Amino acid sequence: MALAAAAAGAVVAVTLTAGTADAGTGTGYLHTSGNKIVDSTGATVRLTGINWFGMETDNHTFHGLWAGRPATWTQQIDHMAQLGFNTIRVPYTGDSLRSGATATSVNTDTNPELVGLSPLQILDKVVNYAGSKGMRIILDRHRPTAAGQTPLWYTAAASEASEIADWQSLASRYANNPTVIGADLFNEPHADGTDPNGTGSCWGCGDTTKDWRLAAERIGNAVLQTNSNWLIFVEGVSCDGNGGSPNVYDNIPDDPMACDWWGGNLSKAGTYPVRLNVANRLVYSAHDYGISVYDRQPWFKDPNFPNNLPDVWDHFWGYLYKQNIAPVLVGEFGSTLQNPLDTQWLTKLMQYMGQGTNGISFTYWSWNPDSGDTGGIVSDDWNTVNQAKMNIIGPYLNPPVGGGGPTSQGPTSPSPSRSVSTSPSPSRSASSSPPPANGGCSATYEVTSSWPGSPGGFQTTVTVKAGTSAISKWTIKWTFANGQTITQLWNGTLTASGSAVTVTNTAYNGTIPANGSTSFGFTGTWTGTNAVPTLTCTA
């Protein structure tokens, strides 16, 4: 189903589990090998990312740039990375690429360095900063224009030729920057009307005005002519047939598996594969959603729910991965989790996609709290994490750990420095506990940003590292010496008594492999001197 959206962020924490010890996004450009995505050295890379939308809307830039402290644009990216998301899928529309396009709703206090920049210049900054964190970027042609989603990849106002021109412009712009790994050619092509007279997107029907598979070949090959290093992500359609939905009024029994979510039906890709002129560049991309988006999918009514879901996913797109035909990226999936059945759906989907580097890649929808159907990973303050979602998703994330950064600073703007306010920001300050012994742990306390006031505010990341043996739980203790107080803490369980602070692990980040690490973060207030405390770590 088509979704709207808007963005959020701040700093939180990396979650490493035994299943994600081989984390990261690799080095250099990526390509494919069977059902794997691999880097320039041949090492397997699994993308576990997040959607951050807004550039496809009338704002023409990322939503959430209007947020107040501490959610600056750099802190939002920090937050994503520290939670464990290693990739950002960036929806856009061609309208945002035009000369004269204006980015709106940028907070002049929290993001002064973005004020007055064009949408592309802001995108350059996000690309470069994300690359410095070891993250990757997927660009997604989400809509032909900012007016909204369409069944076909083109309209009277935005031709296929204009889409190709936009893609080639972006492919050229980021040709020397492997942070940007590829093109999701068009978001959620889908049926329109009923068959046999459907006018929406089909797969394999042979009509060049409707066959998305043939269009993906034309557009993908044009992109690869400009930048042969990019991955080409091709979504499915919604229904089998000639571009329409089954006619429920024709007295002919309808196949309950004839239609999936918009962009989710790749059931015919095995018979009618996308053929690209550059080998090892194709990744199929499917979308899947919960009951909060649309409650009438037939598989939600199955008495065997949720154990019936793997067969559903096998049918529509999972077979491509399981039969080693091509890699799959689940480009969108999400829910508000307000319906308890959606918790079962999301849990089963994460299990289906798997852990570690050998699982199916994904980008969760969405970072933004203003997605009406699903909500976001962060709440309306652009800072507070939805812990119910992260408890399910967190164990399946492969955090970025370096590599994949830009080889150039971007075509129009330099790599940004971290900025959190219009006032001078103090230099980072940090302290560490003693090095861990076997079976033990150490902790590093780092003030990542600070701002003046009465009282002032600050944000801190505490990194917990295991010694040469894995640990299953941890406790960090310290005492504030100057009256600092914690206002909000994430990825940990806080107990405070006066100036004495104790933080223990959550259910999903207590296990740390040997020499691995996780982290938690918090915001707080200070008066006078924001001195860095001495930490102790026990496991």
Side-chain angles (χ1 to χ4, degrees), residues 271-536:
T271 304
Y272 301 102
V274 172
R275 300 156 296 185
L276 298 177
N277 294 334
V278 180
N280 302 317
R281 296 296 184 271
L282 174 64
V283 179
Y284 287 110
S285 181
H287 291 186
D288 200 85
Y289 280 100
I291 293 170
S292 69
V293 175
Y294 183 72
D295 64 359
R296 284 174 284 179
Q297 296 287 25
W299 41 90
F300 292 145
K301 310 298 184 183
D302 191 302
N304 196 34
F305 177 89
N307 294 325
N308 64 312
L309 294 177
D311 287 340
V312 174
W313 298 322
D314 283 348
H315 171 76
F316 285 119
W317 46 268
Y319 75 96
L320 295 165
Y321 180 85
K322 290 186 175 181
Q323 295 177 23
N324 204 37
I325 295 172
V328 173
L329 171 93
V330 182
E332 292 184 18
F333 62 103
S335 165
T336 61
L337 296 188
Q338 291 179 354
N339 188 320
L341 295 179
D342 271 6
T343 298
Q344 298 180 49
W345 160 81
L346 182 57
T347 300
K348 185 65 71 172
L349 179 59
M350 299 310 300
Q351 293 170 349
Y352 181 85
M353 292 190 292
Q355 286 184 302
T357 56
N358 291 318
I360 295 173
S361 292
F362 62 81
T363 48
Y364 182 81
W365 188 278
S366 64
W367 181 248
N368 307 41
D370 57 338
S371 175
D373 291 325
T374 67
I377 288 295
V378 287
S379 302
D380 289 342
D381 63 0
W382 302 98
N383 184 42
T384 304
V385 174
N386 185 312
Q387 204 59 57
K389 295 180 181 180
M390 282 306 302
N391 285 345
I392 300 173
I393 299 167
Y396 297 87
L397 297 176
N398 286 8
V401 291
T407 57
S408 67
Q409 290 301 323
T412 59
S413 59
S415 180
S417 59
R418 290 195 64 181
S419 176
V420 296
S421 71
T422 55
S423 304
S425 179
S427 59
R428 291 172 176 248
S429 53
S431 68
S432 298
S433 65
N438 288 348
C441 61
S442 64
T444 300
Y445 179 109
E446 182 179 21
V447 178
T448 56
S449 62
S450 182
W451 52 95
S454 299
F458 69 103
Q459 185 159 304
T460 293
T461 295
V462 177
T463 301
V464 184
K465 183 175 182 179
T468 55
S469 299
I471 61 176
S472 60
K473 61 181 180 178
W474 47 264
T475 299
I476 312 298
K477 293 184 178 182
W478 71 86
T479 300
F480 282 126
N482 298 89
Q484 299 101 319
T485 59
I486 294 176
T487 55
Q488 184 179 22
L489 184 140
W490 49 89
N491 281 16
T493 302
L494 171 67
T495 303
S497 177
S499 60
V501 177
T502 300
V503 180
T504 57
N505 59 271
T506 66
Y508 64 83
N509 67 352
T511 299
I512 305 176
N515 300 312
S517 64
T518 187
S519 63
F520 61 89
F522 62 87
T523 54
T525 60
W526 60 278
T527 56
T529 302
N530 188 20
V532 173
T534 300
L535 278 61
T536 61

